[in-house]
Amino acid sequence: MSCNNKEARELMHQYLDGGLPTEEENKLRLHLEDCEACQQHFHELKRTITLIQSAESVTAPEGFTANVMNNLPAEKKRMKYMRWFKAHPVITAAAIFFILMVGGMLSMWNQNTELVVSKEEDLVIDGDTVIVPPDVVVEGDLVVRNGDLIISGTVEGNVTIINGELIDDPLENETLMASVGEINGEIKQVDRAFEWMWYQIKNFFRSLFTF
Amino acid sequence: MDEIIREKIKHVKKGDQSAFEDVVFLFQNKIYQHCFRMLGNRQEAEDIAQEAFIRAYVNIDSFDERRKFSTWLYRIATNLTIDRIRKRKPDYYLDAEIKGTEGLNMYSQLPDEQRLPGEEVENMELQRYIHQEISELPPKYRSIIILRYLEDFSLKEISDILDIPLGTVKTRIHRGREALRKKLRHV
């Protein structure tokens, strides 16, 4: 008892999928009335579906949700910061600006470790120390960077020492008080990053105003 | 329900973990059950269901809010189960059937602690038998039969979940039904 009507099988499945037009459905019904094999087949298919639907059902084990939450990756914390930054753009911009500024200043500070003197004529350089000899008169300003300064002669302008000290010549101080050097301008000594920064900023504004 | 989920997902996208906890709670049984039906094994089902939720969380930014979250979640879970089936090592599980026996698994080798009343045992056995037959189908038929008849998705939704054309879903469901009909006709 078998039926080779492929079309009927196809119609059965279409019917079970719920997409069979009325006309086709009537065709299937007529065939099923005549063909016992197809009737049996159709019945078995419907019964199969009912059986499938009675399959055992299970529920998630206890603590499933808590387990999932505990196993969420930690890298998402970075995302949290990212979200915070996105939510506060002004603070983020200010922070980035500040970091770049401080970083830039510090790297400039660290780069200049060589001894630099603004004028070298008639001055004596001994290692890290710059000496203004007794008979010399420096006309204009004197800037020494990354070195100490001993003045035995005369400086007409301002003296600025960055990352160094003004040293009184010990020998002359002890013996001959008369020949202590002379500075006719201001003395400025800068020896810390912060002060240096302040000096830079002041210079910047000064040049701005003189301009 | 859909509206609640949509709201929760919005919060998750903003970084609210506790909103995701609610999502997991709402879907845990469905996803665990889906994995269990696909894999036929509780331990693996738990691992894979957990993995599915974690993947969903990690990739939440790639989820398109105009689509249905459940469809997306089922797709992740189904793909993970199919991967697992492919990579399966020939391990022994208590749930697995012993070769050469009919419906006997490792559990039946353990001493019984409690006998259930006759009728309930029969019912349980039938359910288990059906489950067994479903999980012996090739994965591509299995997933469709499970989604259609146990989880009540429409054919269109199944085509979305599995990302295959509707016509393919129809062909596979026909074949899956025929295969199961042959196995279950004598029950």
Side-chain angles (χ1 to χ4, degrees):
Chain A
M1 199 169 49
S2 71
C3 173
N4 287 325
N5 195 333
K6 284 247 168 88
E7 200 196 344
R9 294 280 158 83
E10 192 51 43
L11 290 178
M12 281 179 209
H13 282 290
Q14 280 182 32
Y15 175 82
L16 292 172
D17 289 340
L20 198 59
T22 327
E23 200 183 308
E24 306 272 284
E25 202 181 313
N26 287 336
K27 207 165 152 193
L28 176 64
R29 189 174 298 133
L30 281 174
H31 179 73
L32 288 177
E33 276 169 15
D34 290 343
C35 176
E36 217 172 304
C38 281
Q39 222 178 81
Q40 174 72 14
H41 192 102
F42 191 53
H43 172 74
E44 281 174 13
L45 280 175
K46 286 208 282 191
R47 187 158 173 274
T48 300
I49 292 168
T50 316
L51 283 173
I52 299 169
Q53 283 168 333
S54 76
E56 104 186 275
S57 66
V58 294
T59 51
E62 242 173 78
F64 181 86
T65 301
N67 262 346
V68 170
M69 296 312 287
N70 287 337
N71 282 303
L72 289 186
E75 67 167 9
K76 278 280 153 174
K77 271 187 186 148
R78 216 190 308 148
M79 286 303 294
K80 232 195 243 168
Y81 293 129
M82 291 300 292
R83 283 200 187 92
W84 190 88
F85 284 143
K86 270 184 200 160
H88 304 86
V90 177
I91 298 173
T92 309
I96 290 173
F97 180 75
F98 184 76
I99 289 165
L100 287 182
M101 219 175 88
V102 170
M105 291 251 181
L106 280 179
S107 68
M108 267 168 78
W109 172 256
N110 289 330
Q111 267 166 18
N112 306 322
T113 50
E114 277 171 42
L115 173 72
V116 181
V117 188
S118 62
K119 253 174 233 165
E120 286 183 35
E121 299 157 36
D122 306 325
L123 301 185
V124 178
I125 296 172
D126 177 17
D128 277 348
T129 313
V130 179
I131 302 164
V132 184
D135 317 328
V136 175
V137 176
V138 178
E139 286 167 20
D141 299 344
L142 181 63
V143 179
V144 177
R145 184 177 292 176
N146 302 317
D148 299 333
L149 179 65
I150 298 171
I151 300 173
S152 307
T154 312
V155 179
E156 293 287 350
N158 300 331
V159 173
T160 307
I161 305 167
I162 298 162
N163 207 14
E165 286 181 72
L166 180 65
I167 301 172
D168 296 327
D169 197 331
L171 267 178
E172 291 193 18
N173 257 358
E174 270 171 35
T175 51
L176 296 161
M177 297 287 283
S179 68
V180 170
E182 210 181 305
I183 301 165
N184 294 333
E186 283 175 53
I187 305 176
K188 249 186 277 172
Q189 220 171 307
V190 183
D191 58 9
R192 270 183 225 140
F194 184 75
E195 285 178 49
W196 184 76
M197 219 157 79
W198 179 234
Y199 167 77
Q200 287 284 342
I201 292 166
K202 271 205 302 200
N203 262 9
F204 172 73
F205 280 108
R206 191 170 300 152
S207 65
L208 207 71
F209 286 125
T210 52
F211 187 72
Chain B
M1 176 74 176
D2 284 351
E3 206 41 57
I4 297 169
I5 300 292
R6 193 161 292 146
E7 257 328 286
K8 295 281 176 205
I9 296 303
K10 263 185 199 159
H11 282 100
V12 176
K13 281 197 172 184
K14 282 180 193 151
D16 182 358
Q17 270 206 351
S18 68
F20 191 68
E21 192 166 357
D22 298 339
V23 173
V24 177
F25 191 75
L26 284 167
F27 281 104
Q28 61 173 356
N29 286 333
K30 285 184 182 174
I31 294 298
Y32 173 77
Q33 177 143 295
H34 180 68
C35 293
F36 176 68
R37 284 167 175 160
M38 284 296 289
L39 297 162
N41 171 300
R42 282 173 198 272
Q43 187 53 54
E44 276 188 309
E46 190 178 347
D47 289 350
I48 296 295
Q50 194 168 319
E51 178 70 19
F53 281 112
I54 291 169
R55 293 247 177 137
Y57 181 77
V58 171
N59 298 309
I60 196 74
D61 287 327
S62 69
F63 167 65
D64 181 352
E65 277 169 69
R66 285 164 300 181
R67 305 188 60 184
K68 241 180 135 182
F69 180 74
S70 59
T71 307
W72 189 67
L73 188 59
Y74 269 98
R75 180 192 291 192
I76 295 174
T78 309
N79 287 343
L80 285 173
T81 55
I82 290 174
D83 274 359
R84 172 58 68 97
I85 292 164
R86 283 199 194 117
K87 283 184 206 148
R88 231 175 218 168
K89 284 176 241 154
D91 259 335
Y92 293 101
Y93 295 106
L94 284 173
D95 289 9
E97 193 178 339
I98 299 166
K99 271 198 179 155
T101 63
E102 190 81 349
L104 274 183
N105 59 31
M106 294 299 228
Y107 277 130
S108 61
Q109 301 298 96
L110 300 172
D112 271 2
E113 283 176 16
Q114 218 179 0
R115 278 244 165 245
L116 294 163
E119 203 173 302
E120 210 165 320
V121 169
E122 231 167 65
N123 194 25
M124 279 292 287
E125 268 163 14
L126 177 62
Q127 286 189 338
R128 194 157 288 166
Y129 178 73
I130 292 163
H131 188 257
Q132 186 71 36
E133 294 301 339
I134 293 172
S135 54
E136 274 173 11
L137 285 176
K140 61 179 180 180
Y141 300 129
R142 198 191 310 174
S143 54
I144 292 179
I145 291 288
I146 290 171
L147 289 166
R148 179 71 192 95
Y149 291 115
L150 290 169
E151 281 141 21
D152 263 341
F153 283 102
S154 71
L155 296 182
K156 178 76 191 68
E157 284 171 318
I158 294 171
S159 123
D160 283 344
I161 290 172
L162 301 175
D163 203 16
I164 52 177
L166 190 59
T168 312
V169 175
K170 283 184 179 165
T171 315
R172 287 187 186 170
I173 204 167
H174 296 184
R175 292 196 185 141
R177 267 195 302 247
E178 286 294 344
L180 281 173
R181 182 190 68 88
K182 282 182 191 134
K183 288 173 168 199
L184 297 175
R185 64 196 293 189
H186 302 300
V187 171

